[in-house]
Amino acid sequence: MTNVYDYAQNNRDRFLQQLIELVRIPSVGTDPARRADTLRAAEWIADDMRRIGLNNVAILPTEGNPAVYADWLEAGDQAPTVLIYAHYDVQPAELSDGWDSDPFEPTERNGVLYGRGIADDKSNVIITLKAAESLLASEEGCPVNLKFLFEGEEEGGSPNLPGFIRDYKDRLQADMAIIADGGLEKPDEPMIIYAMRGIVAFEVRITGPITDLHSGVHGGSVHNPAQVIAEMVAKLHNEDGSIAVPGFYDDVENLDDAERAEVQKSDMSQQEWDQNVGAPKDWGEPGYSLAERTGSRPTLEINGIYGGYIGDGFKTVIPSKAMAKISCRLVANQKPDKIYEMVTSYIRQIAPPTVHVEFQKHGDGAPIRVPLDSPIVQALSRAFKLHWTQEAAYKRTGGSIPIVAVLQDELNLPCVPLGFSLADSGIHGPNENYHVDMFHKGVDTTIRFLQEIAAASS
Ligand code: BES
Ligand code: MN
Ligand code: MN
């Protein structure tokens, strides 16, 4: 038998091949046409779990895509039990979205692999499985009890997972949870995410005339829904970039000076912003740095807006309908339900009498915060110190993982997010990518992390 790090090193090519295999399965969780592929990804994971020696492997159904569960509880009663969460569903992708290669045929260019879901979140699925495999196959053995929970609906807002967690409360009981989804800013700077924004997402649908109308015959007598949606959306922000919905900022926790200064340290440089964003100029709530605006302040974004004819050529119509997809990022102590009420009633209030307004909610999740002095964060910090050249920086991230608040509140689990994709990995966009080096570094760091969790509790 070999040492755990030698095992990981000796098997690194196979591990990487497995990542490539999983990325080839187009598990777009929200696309009904990809349902079979999504199930195939769950099967692929369950097969690998069995192969590496996990027990009680099960594909557990939900109303939507199933969750994959497995455990290994042979480290003994004294050893801590660590729940590892990740998601195997990915965002949609089409070559025509601007990809330079087939999104579901991972392609390497200069040490970087391109493919949908490779960064978010399949690399972290494989990293945690391969860390477990290495520990289980090594002479040291695995020092902690493990429970894996890989879901297939995260990118759709995890609509069925809160109920699932309540149903399987006993099976999921653990001492702490690693949220294997997230990333780093730079390849050689370890980083611990200690806060994540919450989210509430919904659609607003505007209906005017009962059908699309000839814009010559009827133009001049109808308030055009495409115009109405534009007028309404324009009222959601103030001139200065702040959110115009009354009460929106009421519950927002303001950072104390010390934390503000800390957050400022990881502020993006203009050059980094240009590289990752590339718009002519930045924009946002006045009085806050880029890091604050993307980490510790709430936002309201128009994710999509649609109305009328946008196909080839021209069609002189007054559309019957128009709609916008809107999401708000929330920070402590904002409550998703309260914000949803507030924003939708404001939208109703500004809607003109010429249209009907309907809403459809698309899921939500509360903001989370991780206590820096919790044993799980301390163990991660030591793991980084042992495997990387620098101390970890602490950072707030702007993204959301809806289920984390549920794991914290319902299962009482101290959680920490951990992932090894980089800020420029282009998650959710075309040419999503992943640095091959980060994959191997991720496996080693995760092994060390689990060992440090065990060391701290013995
Ligand atoms: N992994 C991301 C969230 C994330 C992004 C964490 C960057 C840390 C850094 C996750 O898969 C995601 O995209 N979540 C969605 C949730 C939404 C669909 C409810 C998000 O944040 O938009
Ligand atoms: Mn993710
Ligand atoms: Mn995502």
Side-chain angles (χ1 to χ4, degrees):
M1 270 194 146
T2 44
N3 162 284
V4 61
Y5 296 100
D6 290 340
Y7 182 93
Q9 171 69 31
N10 296 342
N11 288 282
R12 54 192 275 164
D13 294 342
R14 177 172 58 86
F15 290 175
L16 190 66
Q17 277 314 310
Q18 288 196 288
L19 172 60
I20 290 170
E21 260 181 53
L22 185 59
V23 175
R24 279 201 185 112
I25 306 175
S27 49
V28 181
T30 53
D31 183 351
R34 299 292 201 186
R35 171 83 181 169
D37 291 317
T38 303
L39 296 179
R40 199 151 53 86
E43 300 280 1
W44 188 100
I45 291 167
D47 284 346
D48 196 59
M49 286 170 157
R50 285 184 205 103
R51 198 159 41 227
I52 70 176
L54 299 178
N55 301 316
N56 299 310
V57 178
I59 296 182
L60 300 172
T62 72
E63 302 247 311
N65 301 323
V68 189
Y69 174 87
D71 60 33
W72 186 84
L73 305 173
E74 292 165 30
D77 294 349
Q78 299 307 307
T81 300
V82 182
L83 178 73
I84 298 177
Y85 162 90
H87 62 92
Y88 64 86
D89 60 316
V90 303
Q91 289 277 328
E94 303 286 341
L95 190 59
S96 59
D97 296 339
W99 287 77
D100 295 328
S101 50
D102 182 343
F104 296 107
E105 185 46 62
T107 310
E108 188 176 335
R109 300 190 278 277
N110 301 321
V112 179
L113 271 165
Y114 293 81
R116 170 55 88 226
I118 195 157
D120 184 13
D121 183 30
K122 286 177 171 172
S123 49
N124 296 315
V125 167
I126 301 289
I127 282 172
T128 50
L129 286 174
K130 297 304 114 180
E133 174 181 335
S134 303
L135 283 164
L136 292 172
S138 69
E139 60 199 18
E140 299 91 321
C142 184
V144 295
N145 297 309
L146 293 170
K147 294 185 176 182
F148 284 88
L149 175 64
F150 290 156
E151 73 153 312
E153 298 194 309
E154 196 276 341
E155 300 294 7
S158 306
N160 297 298
L161 204 60
F164 176 92
I165 284 173
R166 273 169 223 129
D167 291 349
Y168 288 93
K169 210 167 180 159
D170 291 340
R171 204 186 301 199
L172 298 173
Q173 220 41 261
D175 297 303
M176 58 193 85
I178 299 174
I179 308 301
D181 186 15
L184 307 169
E185 296 285 304
K186 303 205 183 88
D188 41 33
E189 289 179 16
M191 195 181 95
I192 297 176
I193 294 173
Y194 72 95
M196 275 188 164
R197 289 197 284 195
I199 189 167
V200 57
F202 62 92
E203 229 168 279
V204 49
R205 293 197 207 119
I206 303 295
T207 316
I210 49 175
T211 184
D212 290 357
L213 302 171
H214 189 289
S215 67
V217 174
H218 295 281
S221 76
V222 183
H223 200 174
N224 181 320
Q227 179 188 340
V228 173
I229 197 95
E231 289 167 349
M232 288 170 60
V233 157
K235 290 189 179 130
L236 298 177
H237 290 88
N238 297 311
E239 204 68 356
D240 68 0
S242 59
I243 295 158
V245 178
F248 190 87
Y249 293 102
D250 282 0
D251 295 336
V252 170
E253 171 196 60
N254 288 310
L255 304 191
D256 60 30
D257 291 345
E259 194 177 347
R260 258 195 114 169
E262 191 60 39
V263 169
Q264 220 86 329
K265 274 194 217 154
S266 66
D267 205 11
M268 233 187 244
S269 68
Q270 188 62 43
Q271 195 196 353
E272 282 163 337
W273 187 88
D274 287 344
Q275 215 160 48
N276 290 335
V277 180
K281 196 180 171 341
D282 69 294
W283 176 92
E285 200 187 354
Y288 297 94
S289 65
L290 289 169
E292 286 177 291
R293 270 140 62 195
T294 56
S296 60
R297 298 296 299 169
T299 62
L300 184 156
E301 294 290 344
I302 316 304
N303 299 116
I305 180 164
Y306 170 81
Y309 183 71
I310 51 161
D312 290 338
F314 214 86
K315 197 168 161 189
T316 49
V317 286
I318 296 172
S320 161
K321 290 179 192 321
M323 61 120 148
K325 293 189 189 251
I326 298 176
S327 60
C328 301
R329 296 286 166 172
L330 312 178
V331 301
N333 298 303
Q334 291 178 300
K335 304 263 179 301
D337 286 346
K338 187 170 169 191
I339 294 291
Y340 179 71
E341 260 318 298
M342 217 179 247
V343 177
T344 53
S345 59
Y346 177 68
I347 291 175
R348 270 190 213 289
Q349 196 191 312
I350 60 175
T354 47
V355 295
H356 298 295
V357 182
E358 276 174 312
F359 295 101
Q360 191 193 343
K361 194 167 158 192
H362 275 284
D364 61 20
I368 65 125
R369 203 193 151 113
V370 179
L372 296 187
D373 57 2
S374 64
I376 190 170
V377 173
Q378 293 303 311
L380 179 55
S381 154
R382 286 194 305 277
F384 272 130
K385 206 181 316 179
L386 288 161
H387 265 277
W388 299 50
T389 49
Q390 302 185 28
E391 293 253 354
Y394 290 85
K395 186 171 154 94
R396 284 170 172 268
T397 185
S400 311
I401 304 175
I403 206 60
V404 181
V406 180
L407 293 175
Q408 283 185 336
D409 298 344
E410 303 264 337
L411 298 184
N412 254 320
L413 294 181
C415 294
V416 70
L418 176 63
F420 297 91
S421 59
L422 301 177
D424 64 1
S425 62
I427 60 174
H428 295 202
N431 298 317
E432 178 176 349
N433 64 81
Y434 197 78
H435 292 247
V436 172
D437 286 350
M438 297 306 297
F439 177 72
H440 304 302
K441 230 166 154 170
V443 174
D444 283 357
T445 306
T446 304
I447 292 169
R448 176 63 76 178
F449 184 18
L450 293 169
Q451 290 178 326
E452 288 300 318
I453 287 172
S457 70
S458 63

